[in-house]
Amino acid sequence: MSTQEEFHRIKQLPPYVFEEVNKLKAQLRAEKRDIIDLGMGNPDMPTPAHIVDKLCETARNPKAHRYSASRGIIGLRRAMARYYERRFNVKLNPETEIVATIGSKEGFANLAQAITGPGDVILAPNPAYPIHAFGFIIAGGVIMPVPAPSPEEYLSGLSEAIGRAHVKPRAMVLNYPSNPTAQTVGLDFYKDAVALAKKHDIIILSDLAYGEIYFGDTPPPSILEVDGAKDIAVEINSLSKTFAMAGWRVGMAVGNERLINALARVKSYLDYGAFTPIQVAAVAALDGPWECVEEIRAIYKRRRDVLVESFTAAGWNVPSPEASMFAWAAIPEKYRSMGSVEFAKMLMERADVAVAPGLGFGDDGEGFVRIGLVENQQRIRQAARNLKKVFQGN
């Protein structure tokens, strides 16, 4: 192979849609432009003090500086089991049904590596968070994208896709509350999904990373609340958004013992787990106090309300999300012909506002953008004022 030839796995990946937007953002900031960045899903709030204190306390112990365990320390896995029992009334065996991951993204990608053979067909939503498709593509699988304009249409589309697939699909991906669309589902959705998967002997991978960022009275459910779900399902979860711990990289994969053991075996060859003090601090997070979670949730809700109100007043009708830290909005009619990438670039150049182009989440994301609730209320209102000037100037 020539040293100039593209590597096989890299050739499977499409051009990175966000690259153009990110380059422009960096260029404008280099010119001292104050870009209000609503494009990243990066929590801006500080991690609660008691979690940081536990990290510092543990880090002072030299014994904590040694290699950890790729499955995660048993104390953390027990804390994760306690969380699932307390929150969802789901009992999990921390020895066999839980792996602590280095963030939910790593867990999802390595689970894809563990279960995917060359040419295996995977059903994934479109639009979707990129790892939901590309984790499998990197592993050698083939994605059968299923349009997901709504949860109901996605579920019916899954059934149709299974019927027309030339080979039986290996797995299906669920993600509610959804990134990027912010859609939510109730337990009946998961009951139907589990029934469909069992009928066709298909694995379910459910991403619940935004399960604690919700704005109504009913918390999002876990698929593992469905009787028999553990027979075929693994759920990926995360502390990143719940506790504003994105950079700490702590997540979990829980559920079916066979799938969890496959993930643990792959990870045993690849890593030694997160730094032990981080895992000990994650125990402190999961075991409480939980008032900090309620406050983080309340901050996102206030930002959501300000975003919807101020952007709508500026001339952009942004639907109010029920959960997650994002709004998913159609490009205003006047600008729809531009496409999401050019629209996002135009907002940066003319309004100093960054959003994520929907095309980056799949072909069916074209015509939309994702707006993050990752700036304070004052900055969101300033973004709206900037947008209004642009919209009224055309």
Side-chain angles (χ1 to χ4, degrees), residues 195-206:
L196 178 65
K198 284 194 167 189
K199 178 181 177 182
H200 298 280
D201 189 26
I202 296 174
I203 295 165
I204 292 179
L205 303 183
S206 175

Side-chain angles (χ1 to χ4, degrees), residues 68-140:
S68 189
S70 60
R71 270 186 180 262
I73 61 174
I74 186 61
L76 176 55
R77 285 181 279 136
R78 286 172 178 159
M80 290 168 172
R82 289 192 293 271
Y83 164 68
Y84 260 80
E85 184 165 13
R86 185 173 65 245
R87 170 71 162 80
F88 303 110
N89 196 30
V90 169
K91 292 185 183 296
L92 294 165
N93 184 336
E95 298 281 359
T96 60
E97 296 178 329
I98 300 177
V99 167
T101 61
I102 306 174
S104 61
K105 191 173 184 178
E106 175 270 320
F108 199 97
N110 278 328
L111 192 53
Q113 292 285 341
I115 71 172
T116 308
D120 277 352
V121 173
I122 310 297
L123 303 168
N126 191 342
Y129 185 53
I131 196 65
H132 294 155
F134 297 121
F136 292 102
I137 292 172
I138 292 169

Side-chain angles (χ1 to χ4, degrees), residues 106-256:
E106 175 270 320
F108 199 97
N110 278 328
L111 192 53
Q113 292 285 341
I115 71 172
T116 308
D120 277 352
V121 173
I122 310 297
L123 303 168
N126 191 342
Y129 185 53
I131 196 65
H132 294 155
F134 297 121
F136 292 102
I137 292 172
I138 292 169
V142 176
I143 292 296
M144 181 177 282
V146 178
S150 72
E152 296 75 21
E153 288 167 291
Y154 180 53
L155 193 58
S156 64
L158 286 171
S159 184
E160 293 172 10
I162 293 168
R164 69 174 185 270
H166 296 302
V167 296
K168 188 186 78 172
R170 180 72 164 164
M172 66 173 69
V173 177
L174 306 178
N175 174 215
Y176 297 101
S178 168
N179 177 9
T181 68
Q183 294 166 346
T184 60
V185 297
L187 199 57
D188 285 345
F189 173 91
Y190 287 132
K191 289 177 180 177
D192 291 342
V194 168
L196 178 65
K198 284 194 167 189
K199 178 181 177 182
H200 298 280
D201 189 26
I202 296 174
I203 295 165
I204 292 179
L205 303 183
S206 175
D207 184 342
L208 192 63
Y210 293 89
E212 296 298 346
I213 309 300
Y214 60 91
F215 309 126
D217 296 329
T218 305
S222 161
I223 193 170
L224 299 181
E225 293 179 61
V226 177
D227 288 343
K230 273 201 282 187
D231 296 340
I232 43 88
V234 164
E235 190 156 75
I236 313 295
N237 212 323
S238 172
L239 277 66
S240 294
K241 312 308 187 293
T242 303
F243 299 98
M245 291 175 66
W248 296 58
R249 310 314 302 133
V250 184
M252 66 193 90
V254 304
N256 179 266

Side-chain angles (χ1 to χ4, degrees), residues 47 54 77 101 141 163 206 209 245 269 280 342 349 357 362 377:
T47 303
K54 179 58 71 173
R77 285 181 279 136
T101 61
S206 175
M245 291 175 66
Y269 288 96
V280 174
E342 291 304 315
E349 290 172 330
Q377 294 176 53

